[in-house]
Amino acid sequence: ICRAAWLLISDRPQESEALFRESIPRWSEVGLGIDVPDYKTMHAQSAALSGQQDAALNLINEAIEQIERPGWEEKCIYAEALRVKGWILHLGGDLAGAEAEFRASLKVSRGQQAKSWELRAATSYAKLLKDQDRRKEALELLEPIYLWFTEGLDTKDLKEAKAMLVELR
C-alpha cells in the first residue's frame, strides 16, 4: 500500500492503481479495517488518472460510505475524500456534482479546523470556478485560506494554491 501511494505521488497512476487493487483486499482479509477509507481514496485517484472513471467513483463512494457509517470514528480523511470525489466528478464533466462535493469538503474541513484539507478543497474548487469564468469568486475563496499559512510555503499544496492565485489575478 505504501508503494502504491508512492507510485501515485510519483505520477505513475497505472502502476499505482494495479498495486492498490491487489493490496487493499489483502489488508482487509487479515481483519484490518483501519485506514481503508484513506487507501480507497488514494486508489480512486489512481483509477481516475488511469482513465477508469466508473471504478474511481465506486471506490470513493465506498470510502465515503465507510466514513459516514454510524459508530465509525475514522473521520480524519472525510474532507479529503469529499474533495477527491469532487475532483473525479470535475474530471468527468459533472460540474454541479463537483461543486456540491467541494462545498461539502470545505464545510467538513472547517468544522474540523483542518486547514490543510481546507486549502486543498479551496484550490480544487477555485479551479472549477475558474473553468466556469467565476474568477472573482474563486479568488475570494482561495486567497484568505492561502494567506492563513505563514510557513511551509514550499509544500506542494501551497505551491499549487499560489499558482492558482496567480492564474486568477
Side-chain angles (χ1 to χ4, degrees):
I1 288 173
C2 290
R3 179 158 171 73
W6 177 80
L7 289 165
L8 176 61
I9 63 172
S10 298
D11 200 25
R12 295 164 62 183
Q14 289 84 8
E15 294 171 78
S16 171
E17 193 283 326
L19 200 50
F20 274 126
R21 190 173 356 100
E22 174 187 320
S23 302
I24 294 172
R26 282 193 283 160
W27 182 261
S28 298
E29 283 170 9
V30 296
L32 298 170
I34 194 93
D35 292 327
V36 170
D38 189 17
Y39 302 150
K40 284 187 177 180
T41 298
M42 289 186 283
H43 187 186
Q45 292 173 76
S46 64
L49 291 168
S50 298
Q52 301 174 43
Q53 294 297 113
D54 291 340
L57 280 173
N58 286 337
L59 286 161
I60 200 62
N61 285 332
E62 288 173 11
I64 291 169
E65 285 172 18
Q66 185 171 350
I67 293 167
E68 291 176 341
R69 188 177 305 143
W72 187 260
E73 298 302 321
E74 194 174 348
K75 304 275 189 217
C76 62
I77 193 72
Y78 193 28
E80 177 65 352
L82 293 167
R83 183 199 71 80
V84 169
K85 184 173 182 181
W87 172 76
I88 293 167
L89 292 170
H90 188 190
L91 281 178
D94 181 355
L95 304 184
E99 185 165 356
E101 295 301 328
F102 291 146
R103 286 179 180 269
S105 178
L106 285 168
K107 181 178 179 181
V108 169
S109 61
R110 289 170 178 159
Q112 293 176 335
Q113 297 180 356
K115 284 295 190 184
S116 292
W117 291 144
E118 184 180 357
L119 178 71
R120 279 188 175 187
T123 303
S124 294
Y125 190 12
K127 179 172 181 9
L128 173 79
L129 294 171
K130 180 186 77 85
D131 291 349
Q132 295 177 330
D133 233 6
R134 296 161 61 188
R135 289 177 176 275
K136 183 176 184 237
E137 190 178 344
L139 186 62
E140 290 170 354
L141 168 70
L142 184 56
E143 190 169 49
I145 298 163
Y146 175 79
L147 293 174
W148 182 90
F149 290 87
T150 58
E151 53 188 55
L153 300 177
D154 59 341
T155 62
K156 182 181 180 212
D157 289 340
L158 284 164
K159 285 180 178 179
E160 287 177 4
K162 183 178 182 178
M164 178 56 60
L165 287 170
V166 168
E167 284 183 48
L168 293 170
R169 290 188 181 119

